[in-house]
Amino acid sequence: GLEQNYPNPFNPCTIISYQIPKSAHVYMKIFNALGQEVGTLINDQMAAGYHQVQWNANVPSGIYFYRLQAGEFVETKKMILLR
């Protein structure tokens, strides 16, 4: 599953941790509050297990959403960038 990013709120850098039960093609995308995609952190085949990815935000302060898609699994969580 997808864990809450840390730290949150963050500036300008945060870590997102996630776990996948089996090897899959993984996408991790960031969206703004309007639902517009502002970045892709992962687009790769990943092994099963626990992973972390870092986001260095070069976007304005506000609420953002990060979405993990791994095979059939999709989960979204919210994070706050405070400059």
Side-chain angles (χ1 to χ4, degrees):
L2 185 59
E3 296 183 11
Q4 188 62 50
N5 65 301
Y6 181 83
N8 186 42
F10 67 98
N11 176 31
C13 193
T14 190
I15 305 279
I16 298 168
S17 302
Y18 63 97
Q19 200 158 0
I20 55 173
K22 59 181 198 272
S23 175
H25 197 98
V26 173
Y27 299 92
M28 173 93 64
K29 295 189 174 191
I30 311 280
F31 299 89
N32 65 17
L34 299 175
Q36 299 163 320
E37 192 179 314
V38 297
T40 299
L41 297 184
I42 305 167
N43 177 4
D44 210 357
Q45 188 73 23
M46 306 289 282
Y50 187 79
H51 303 275
Q52 287 188 325
V53 63
Q54 181 172 303
W55 185 39
N56 288 309
N58 57 349
V59 292
S61 292
I63 294 173
Y64 292 88
F65 296 89
Y66 53 103
R67 186 177 75 197
L68 173 69
Q69 184 175 349
E72 301 295 299
F73 177 85
V74 179
E75 191 173 350
T76 304
K77 287 198 185 303
K78 181 168 85 173
M79 58 184 163
I80 299 169
L81 170 59
L82 272 185
R83 293 207 184 275

